[in-house]
């Protein structure tokens, strides 16, 4: 059997997605769930990029015991210094440094040449090696780097001390056969390749991240860089759950990971909820429909024997058919149990607070599902808001002019305004703009998403608001979608009205 190392970059590449930023407490929550899941490496951030990222790497290093904690850098000394400093509490720390190796990167990004890039790669690896034993080197845009030159870079950084060499398909351009052949080429032409591990890092621009990663592994890579739900820049990264279930299902490939697959469902919901990033219903492994058989022939077959149409047992990814349904009659213990399944541990005080919110929601909604529960856990993220929506009343209907009145609490000062609009949301937002005496912002994106079904369901609203050339993200969830829309707007303006 061949051991495959799982390197999770949800908190670095995944978190770079606009609107998916987490605070340090949320990142620690995800990191602990990743540890439970059994990942080998957690890429916790890019410390030089911001004090927030630096602090997250420090705090995750303290909070997590078993996985290696990795920090990203460019091939620049000050980045490497910051990464080393941020990793000082890690029980096992890794610096992930690197540089672009494709001709477009060398010419346009660095205005340099191939020989100079090799020198910089060697220098960065040696510099990182002064701080930590475990140094990973990435050859950015390796997918479009000519194989012969790539082999020279890989050989040079291994000689300089790299323990892992990452071969990213940064632009998601490669075809599975070509990516597999690239890894095979390196395995066969880099003389010292046995002294390091080759890693895949695939992006999904052409929908081939998972296929490329599988080909990379079948041709010799022994680390895969992945994210929960495939979250990541543009079309995303390779999804962890797909790789884990592919090698669990295809035992004949003799590739083994340390992933406890029964934790997949919980962490998938947790990341989706914390990052406000819905999972598409037909997403492999974790989508809502992944195990839902709707055609009569399929239903009949599955009822007779699950294996007639299902290649995976839902229990293997942690979907519990017999899960207790939460209703207004459920006690704290049932809520706590559900939260544990979803990978959320909390102290009694916070549990009591969430339970009170749970009871309020259960009054308005018959069955409380996992998304509702996770939404309640994140509800206190607006506690720190300077501008709070305290009151909203709307009138609307066919043949009526929509009107809204709002009261905001602005750092302790209450301001109330009313406005008319071409619908209740428009009226509510206009009233908020009047209350803050500022109407210079425009809504660029506005997405209302019902979590599952039923007219009593909680709606989630994602909004992007443009202000002075920058785009700010707002989010809210509420069984009243008008309230959720105005709350999402208020969430966004809190990010720029100081
Ligand atoms: O996609 C990429 O090339 C990356 C590197 C920074 C590892 O994310
Ligand atoms: Zn990437």
């Amino acid at each position: 059997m061949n051991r495959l190392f799982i390197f999770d970059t949800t908190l670095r590449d995944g978190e770079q997605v606009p609107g998916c930023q987490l605070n340090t407490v949320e990142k620690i929550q995800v990191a602990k769930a990743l540890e439970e899941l059994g990942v080998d490496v957690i890429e916790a951030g890019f410390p030089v990029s911001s004090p927030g990222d630096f602090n997250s790497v420090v705090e995750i290093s303290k909070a997590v015991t078993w996985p290696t904690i990795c920090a990203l850098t460019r091939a620049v000394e000050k980045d490497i210094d910051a990464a080393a400093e941020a990793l000082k509490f890690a029980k096992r720390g890794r610096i992930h440094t690197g540089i672009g190796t494709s001709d477009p990167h060398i010419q346009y990004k660095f205005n340099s040449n191939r020989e100079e890039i090799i020198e910089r790669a060697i220098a960065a690896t040696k510099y990182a090696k002064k701080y930590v034993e475990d140094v990973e080197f990435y050859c950015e845009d390796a997918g479009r780097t000519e194989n012969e030159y790539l082999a020279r870079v890989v050989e040079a950084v291994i000689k300089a001390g790299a323990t892992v060499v990452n071969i990213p398909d940064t632009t998601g351009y490669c075809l599975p056969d070509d990516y597999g052949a690239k890894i095979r080429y390196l395995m066969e032409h880099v003389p010292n390749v046995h002294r390091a591990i080759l890693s895949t890092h695939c992006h999904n621009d052409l929908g081939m991240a998972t296929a490329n990663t599988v080909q990379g592994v079948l041709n010799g890579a022994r680390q895969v860089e992945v994210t929960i739900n495939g979250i990541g820049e543009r079309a995303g990264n390779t999804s962890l759950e797909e790789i884990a279930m592919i090698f669990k299902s295809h035992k004949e490939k003799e590739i083994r990971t340390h992933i406890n697959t029964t934790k997949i469902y919980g962490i998938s919901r947790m990341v989706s909820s914390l990052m406000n990033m819905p999972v598409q219903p037909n997403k492999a492994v974790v989508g809502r429909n992944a195990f839902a058989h709707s055609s009569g022939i399929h239903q009949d077959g599955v009822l007779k024997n699950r294996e007639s149409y299902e290649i995976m047992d839902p229990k293997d990814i942690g979907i519990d058919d017999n899960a207790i349904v939460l209703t207004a009659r459920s006690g704290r213990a049932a809520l706590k149990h559900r939260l544990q399944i979803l990978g959320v541990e909390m102290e009694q005080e916070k549990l009591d607070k969430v339970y009170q919110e749970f009871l309020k929601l259960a009054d308005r909604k018959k069955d409380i599902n996992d998304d509702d529960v996770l939404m309640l856990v994140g509800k206190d993220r607006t506690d720190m808001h300077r501008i709070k929506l305290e009151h909203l009343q709307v009138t609307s209907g066919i043949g009526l002019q929509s009107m809204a009145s709002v009261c905001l609490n602005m750092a302790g000062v209450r301001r109330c305004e009313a406005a008319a609009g071409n619908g209740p949301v428009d009226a509510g937002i206009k009233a908020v703009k009047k209350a803050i005496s500022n109407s210079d912002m425009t809504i660029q994106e506005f997405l209302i998403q019902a979590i599952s079904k039923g007219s009593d369901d909680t709606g989630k609203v994602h909004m992007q608001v443009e202000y002075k050339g920058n785009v700010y993200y707002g989010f809210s969830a509420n069984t009243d979608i008008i309230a959720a829309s105005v709350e999402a707007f208020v969430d966004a303006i809190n990010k720029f009205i100081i």
Side-chain angles (χ1 to χ4, degrees), residues 213-235:
T213 299
V214 169
Q215 279 306 316
V217 174
L218 297 182
N219 283 283
R222 284 295 170 267
Q223 177 181 280
V224 289
E225 304 196 2
V226 290
T227 60
I228 301 294
N229 300 334
I231 194 162
E233 284 214 85
R234 307 183 309 277

Side-chain angles (χ1 to χ4, degrees), residues 12-13 170 201 203 237:
R12 200 278 297 170
D13 226 349
T170 305
H201 178 113
H203 281 267
N237 290 55

Side-chain angles (χ1 to χ4, degrees), residues 12 17 92 129 134 151 154 205 235 244 246 278 295 305 321 344 380 386 415 439 443:
R12 200 278 297 170
V17 179
R92 274 169 282 274
K129 207 69 188 176
D134 193 2
V154 174
D205 298 66
I246 285 169
S295 91
N305 184 334
D321 293 342
V344 183
D380 59 2
R386 199 176 158 274
R415 291 228 202 124
S439 59
I443 295 176

Side-chain angles (χ1 to χ4, degrees), residues 12-13 72 96 138 140-141 166 168-170 201 203 225:
R12 200 278 297 170
D13 226 349
L72 185 79
H96 188 190
Y138 62 87
E140 195 179 3
D141 204 15
N166 179 9
D169 181 22
T170 305
H201 178 113
H203 281 267
E225 304 196 2

Side-chain angles (χ1 to χ4, degrees), residues 255-357:
I255 298 287
R256 179 175 60 89
T257 72
H258 275 185
I259 295 297
N260 175 355
T261 61
T262 63
K263 302 279 179 193
I264 284 178
Y265 176 70
I267 195 167
S268 162
R269 308 315 300 168
M270 178 199 282
V271 167
S272 164
S273 166
L274 289 175
M275 290 193 165
N276 302 319
M277 185 57 107
V279 176
Q280 76 191 60
N282 58 334
K283 164 86 177 62
V285 185
V286 289
R288 195 171 67 230
N289 296 347
F291 295 97
H293 299 272
S294 53
S295 91
I297 297 175
H298 282 206
Q299 284 176 346
D300 182 53
V302 169
L303 287 173
K304 285 182 178 137
N305 184 334
R306 191 186 57 76
E307 284 180 19
S308 39
Y309 283 99
E310 277 183 6
I311 56 162
M312 292 174 270
D313 186 336
K315 287 198 179 69
D316 281 348
I317 64 152
I319 296 180
D320 180 2
D321 293 342
N322 305 316
I324 304 164
V325 177
L326 294 175
T327 67
R329 275 173 205 77
S330 305
R332 275 183 187 67
L335 177 65
K336 188 171 176 190
H337 176 69
R338 197 74 217 145
L339 285 166
Q340 278 166 343
I341 290 173
L342 295 169
V344 183
E345 293 286 346
M346 58 177 60
E347 284 160 11
Q348 193 60 35
E349 201 185 329
K350 170 113 198 239
L351 180 68
D352 289 344
K353 214 169 147 192
V354 172
Y355 185 65
Q356 292 314 317
E357 293 293 332

